[in-house]
Amino acid sequence: MPRKGHVPRRESIADPMYDSVLVTRFINAMMGAGKRSIAEGAFYGAMKIIQDKSGQDPMTVLKQAMTNVKPILEVKSRRVGGANYQVPVEVRPDRRNALATRWIITFARGRSDPSFEEKFAAEILSASKNEGGAVKKREDTHKMAEANKAFAHYRW
């Protein structure tokens, strides 16, 4: 972080195949050790699998999955008078996308399919149908926020 001034947020450039910033963000999140070509191959392979299995445009399935996984509320820890409270707060739009992307990739890696392409495609397909681990994570996050609604007055 700089000592002075505000650092402007850099926008990601859209990928060449789908012309979408969302795809670039997914590829960047999947990439490990700077191996972009491997991450791109896995992503585009998963999109081909989605196309074959669902018969729909893979981008619409991906956007539907993202919509189903994005959290609206989350809890943040606040220290008030020597006690920690889990205070429910609304999630900023850019953080919503980041959390949804991270959750989809994390739960895809935890699946038992043979290749990552198949794992990722299966997780996106299940998330687009409001099923799967990423959607369950969003529901758990919302339940936590709902359970701690009594501490909402500590929000600032």
Side-chain angles (χ1 to χ4, degrees):
M1 289 177 56
R3 291 174 186 264
K4 292 184 179 179
H6 173 73
V7 178
R9 192 166 179 87
R10 285 185 280 177
E11 289 300 317
S12 301
I13 55 171
D15 81 306
M17 189 175 284
Y18 291 103
D19 195 36
S20 171
V21 175
L22 178 66
V23 173
T24 304
R25 294 248 170 94
F26 261 107
I27 290 170
N28 287 345
M30 287 177 0
M31 183 169 51
K35 302 199 174 204
R36 176 175 295 279
S37 59
I38 291 173
E40 283 176 347
F43 183 85
Y44 294 135
M47 292 304 240
K48 187 178 269 314
I49 292 170
I50 291 169
Q51 171 85 42
D52 295 340
K53 283 188 178 176
S54 70
Q56 299 175 348
D57 177 40
M59 278 306 291
T60 57
V61 175
L62 180 68
K63 286 178 182 171
Q64 180 63 42
M66 283 291 288
T67 305
N68 291 345
V69 174
K70 284 182 193 175
I72 297 166
L73 292 171
E74 68 177 344
V75 290
K76 284 196 173 180
S77 191
R78 291 274 186 255
R79 187 162 176 85
V80 179
N84 284 327
Y85 296 105
Q86 298 282 36
V87 180
V89 293
E90 284 190 25
V91 185
R92 294 187 327 270
D94 55 334
R95 181 163 166 77
R96 276 182 201 175
N97 289 330
L99 285 173
T101 304
R102 189 181 316 151
W103 291 345
I104 288 173
I105 292 169
T106 303
F107 284 100
R109 285 190 177 129
R111 281 181 170 258
S112 61
D113 297 310
S115 70
F116 180 72
E117 292 176 13
E118 293 172 26
K119 293 178 183 182
F120 186 62
E123 186 63 35
I124 288 176
L125 284 169
S126 62
S128 68
K129 297 174 190 162
N130 245 343
E131 302 167 355
V135 174
K136 186 178 181 320
K137 175 76 171 174
R138 187 215 49 205
E139 288 170 359
D140 292 346
T141 305
H142 283 179
K143 280 181 191 169
M144 273 283 277
E146 189 67 29
N148 290 296
K149 195 167 55 173
F151 304 118
H153 62 282
Y154 288 125
R155 186 182 329 165
W156 65 74

